[in-house]
Each structure stands twice: as structure tokens, then as C-alpha cells.
Amino acid sequence: MSECPKAFTQKGESIIKKSEAIKGAFFGAVVADALCLGSHYEYDAQKIYEAYGEKSIEKFMSPGEMMGGQTHGIGWGERNYHPGKKAGGTTDYGDYNILVLEHLAEIADPPRPFSVAALIPHWMKRLEQSWGSWICTMTQETYGQVKQGVPTEHLGGMSNAMAIRHVAAHAYYDSEEELVDVARKSMFTHRDAHALDGGEFFARVTHRVIHGMKPRKAIEEVAAQMGGFIKDKALQAIAKVEEEADPNSALFKEAFSDDLALTSMARLWDVGRSEPIKVGKASPTEGTLPGAVYFILKYAEQEDGLKGAMQANAMVGGDNASRSIAIGMVLGAYKGVEAIPPEWKETFDQWTYCDNLLNKLPLLRKLTSIDQD
């Protein structure tokens, strides 16, 4: 663990305490995720818009609320994907981040490196006793591997879905490389290079934003550093943001411009079921990474940008929960925890529970102590 950084970070013309940036990253992620619970896996943006009264979502909703209790996961059919959840709760993406938070709180004294082997017993217990959300294919596969005694280093399957789970680690470790280590290890159910690189990308971006860098600069720097697929997808998103903002572009004139922007950044994926999946709105990293970057950059410099990005992402649908973690953590770090609307703080099921656990984590504890001096 490196030394504790300065307690304040400059963001534009405002000064946000690093403790507020770290809490903003965590709560931005899980609150953005909870906002997606009602429309998660609904791929028809117009259906969501009409169901929500032809306006942006303003409150947490239960799974499929206002849409007949089900959402249309293209290729997997129409169903309730989170039968154990209610308004104010999280999808499986939020659940995983709370799971990692719980684990980090357990190993806070003394602080130590992140270990998948140490996490697994807690993960197994939660899956068996109190999950309530959709259990993805890779989680099911990895659970079976653990039961069969597969060594930790060989766990996981080859899904290219981006599943960011490390957000709480920003309150524990202050080294960028330690955070990358947690980002990759906490995605132990996935072994695909693109998925793991996507988690690393957002870990690095969020770390730099917490330390005072603007989101666009952080995204450009990390993309250049990582190169290849990550750089290509980040640049694609940057270009799409500029296209959507251009009054002379066809995209600008579209009523559902965000929806079209995301679907235009990835291929159609014909998986041999009833209809092709629009990968730009689905789980694969080739869509979720540029989709998340698109919303981050479109809303970063708006006064109410954290709220706006959360709402816009939820309204597009698809695997909006996957994008929500990245969007919420980066913009939450940039805007600070106080940028989360009070009504969402008050109605998010586990705010006090998560806040108490976050306050136990070593980096945040040090920063809070400095703030009080």
C-alpha cells in the first residue's frame, strides 16, 4: 500500500475532497445500477420511454415495473430477470460490488493484498443463501468449477462480457497497479482478455479521476497506454459523442440518439435464436466499454451530469446495468458523492449499510481522519 494522498482534489472550479470522490465512485456505481433494475435487459428503448410516461426515469423501480413485470432479453426471452429484488435494490452487477465491499471490510485490519481464494467462501455463501438477482452463465459455470475443486487460477469461462466488481477497492488501495490487480481478480468468473482489459481500463480511469484528472483526459491517457482493442473502442466512443453533438449530423436529429449511438458502435450478433442481439447494448465489452465512455463524456461537464448520465443510460436499456457501474464510478468520482440526488440516497436500499462498510476501509479511513484534522 502506498502513502495516503492529499485530502483534496481540484475538479474544474470546485474542490472535492478525495474521500467524497471515493464515496462518489462507489455510490455512483451502485445507485446507477439500481436505477437500471426496472429496465435491465429490455432492448426496446422506445418501450422503456413510453412505459415511463415519455420522460426520463426519476425513481428506482422494481424489475419490469411499468412494463408488465418482465423485460425482453433478446435471445433469452421475456422474463423477470431479478425475481428476488424490489425498487431500490441492485442487479447482479451491483450485488457483486457490494460483495467485494463486504469482503474488503472483513480484511481491513490489517490491510492486505486481494485474494480470490479468500473471497470465494463469502461468494459461495451469498450465492447459496441471499442472492436474489440474475445469476449469469459465467457465475453458474464458476460455481460448478469450485464445487469440483478446480484450482483458483483456472476458474472462469470465456465470456466477453464486462463485469466490473472492484469499485470498493478505491477506498482500500491507493496504488493504480494494486487497483488493476483487484479489478482483474474480482472478475474471476471471466477469462476473456477483452472483458478483463475493460475492467482494468475503468480501474485506471477512475483512479486518475479520483486524483484530480478530468474524465476525458483520463480516458485518452489510459486508452493510449493500453492500446489495441481498448484504444480503438475508446476512440470510437469519443468520435460518437462528437457526432451526436453535431447539429449537422443525422444522429443529432434522431429522437432516440443515444440508443442509435450505442447500437452503431458494435455489430449485430446472430446467436441462432429468434433474433439478433444488438451488441452495442448487450454485455460484450465491445459494446459496453464504448457505450459507457459515450455517456461519461457526453455528461461529464454538465452541471447535473452524474444524474443525467445515470438516467440516459437506464433509458437506453439492454445490459444497461453493466454500463452503469463504469458510468457511475467515473462520474461519481468526478462529481463527488454529494452529486447523487438526495431522493435516490434516501431510497437506495443499502446506503447506510454500504456507507458503514466503506468507512472501515483503510484508505478512506485515513482520508477521513485528515479531513477532520
Side-chain angles (χ1 to χ4, degrees):
M1 240 84 61
S2 63
E3 292 183 2
C4 182
K6 293 179 181 179
F8 297 92
T9 181
Q10 186 75 33
K11 302 280 176 62
E13 295 182 357
S14 65
I15 295 178
I16 295 175
K17 294 177 182 177
K18 281 199 170 70
S19 58
E20 294 174 358
I22 289 169
K23 283 195 172 184
F26 181 83
F27 282 113
V30 294
V31 167
D33 171 76
L35 205 65
C36 293
L37 183 65
S39 58
H40 194 206
Y41 293 133
E42 175 53 61
Y43 277 76
D44 188 338
Q46 187 166 345
K47 177 183 175 181
I48 297 170
Y49 180 71
E50 291 173 354
Y52 290 176
E54 298 188 349
K55 60 183 180 181
S56 293
I57 186 170
E58 288 286 351
K59 64 177 183 177
F60 299 125
M61 296 194 187
S62 58
E65 185 176 339
M66 309 299 293
M67 291 184 285
Q70 299 185 120
T71 50
H72 190 188
I74 301 295
W76 284 271
E78 193 167 19
R79 61 195 289 186
N80 180 347
Y81 286 89
H82 304 285
K85 293 303 182 81
K86 60 182 179 64
T90 48
T91 78
D92 48 313
Y93 292 99
D95 290 348
Y96 259 111
N97 278 285
I98 294 171
L99 174 82
V100 171
L101 168 61
E102 291 169 342
H103 175 64
L104 291 174
E106 288 176 354
I107 64 168
D109 294 307
R112 66 203 81 168
F114 188 83
S115 163
V116 176
L119 173 66
I120 282 177
H122 182 47
W123 173 72
M124 296 284 283
K125 183 178 179 180
R126 281 286 301 274
L127 282 175
E128 293 167 352
Q129 297 181 7
S130 60
W131 197 246
S133 295
W134 169 253
I135 300 177
C136 71
T137 304
M138 291 300 98
T139 295
Q140 296 177 43
E141 182 175 330
T142 306
Y143 177 85
Q145 292 172 341
V146 172
K147 286 288 192 180
Q148 294 164 15
V150 173
T152 302
E153 61 271 22
H154 297 307
L155 293 175
M158 293 307 294
S159 170
N160 57 3
M162 193 176 74
I164 296 171
R165 301 165 179 167
H166 71 276
V167 188
H170 290 278
Y172 196 108
Y173 305 97
D174 193 45
S175 156
E176 186 169 311
E177 297 311 316
E178 286 177 302
L179 287 161
V180 167
D181 181 62
V182 181
R184 299 183 78 90
K185 286 180 177 176
S186 61
M187 289 174 62
F188 63 95
T189 57
H190 293 60
R191 287 190 285 145
D192 179 82
H194 287 172
L196 294 170
D197 287 349
E200 174 178 339
F201 172 78
F202 284 109
R204 292 187 184 278
V205 168
T206 302
H207 177 74
R208 296 182 194 194
V209 171
I210 287 171
H211 286 77
M213 194 176 288
K214 286 183 175 288
R216 174 144 183 174
K217 184 177 181 183
I219 286 166
E220 290 175 339
E221 280 195 2
V222 176
Q225 176 183 340
M226 295 185 69
F229 169 82
I230 296 295
K231 181 180 179 181
D232 290 344
K233 300 309 289 185
L235 292 178
Q236 182 185 33
I238 291 170
K240 190 62 64 173
V241 170
E242 293 171 351
E243 178 187 351
E244 196 273 342
D246 181 1
N248 296 315
S249 72
L251 182 59
F252 177 86
K253 299 177 177 66
E254 288 284 337
F256 293 88
S257 60
D258 289 342
D259 181 65
L260 182 58
L262 265 64
T263 56
S264 68
M265 288 193 286
R267 62 202 161 95
L268 288 178
W269 182 21
D270 187 353
V271 291
R273 295 182 175 88
S274 59
E275 50 200 315
I277 295 173
K278 296 176 179 178
V279 174
K281 294 169 64 172
S283 306
T285 307
E286 69 177 271
T288 52
L289 190 151
V293 171
Y294 170 87
F295 284 115
I296 290 166
L297 295 182
K298 179 174 177 178
Y299 287 91
E301 302 308 325
Q302 295 186 19
E303 184 176 352
D304 214 7
L306 177 59
K307 178 182 179 182
M310 289 177 172
Q311 290 173 310
N313 173 62
M315 296 301 291
V316 165
D319 196 357
N320 48 10
S322 176
R323 300 188 303 267
S324 74
I325 301 297
I327 294 164
M329 67 190 284
V330 174
L331 289 182
Y334 187 49
K335 302 289 188 177
V337 68
E338 295 304 318
I340 296 173
E343 62 271 23
W344 293 353
K345 175 180 177 179
E346 292 164 5
T347 52
F348 179 73
D349 270 357
Q350 299 186 78
W351 187 286
T352 300
Y353 173 70
C354 292
D355 195 41
N356 289 337
L357 292 177
L358 275 173
N359 289 333
K360 294 180 180 180
L361 303 191
L363 176 59
L364 189 57
R365 204 164 55 199
K366 287 179 184 178
L367 288 166
T368 302
S369 177
I370 292 172
D371 293 343
Q372 292 173 348
D373 287 345

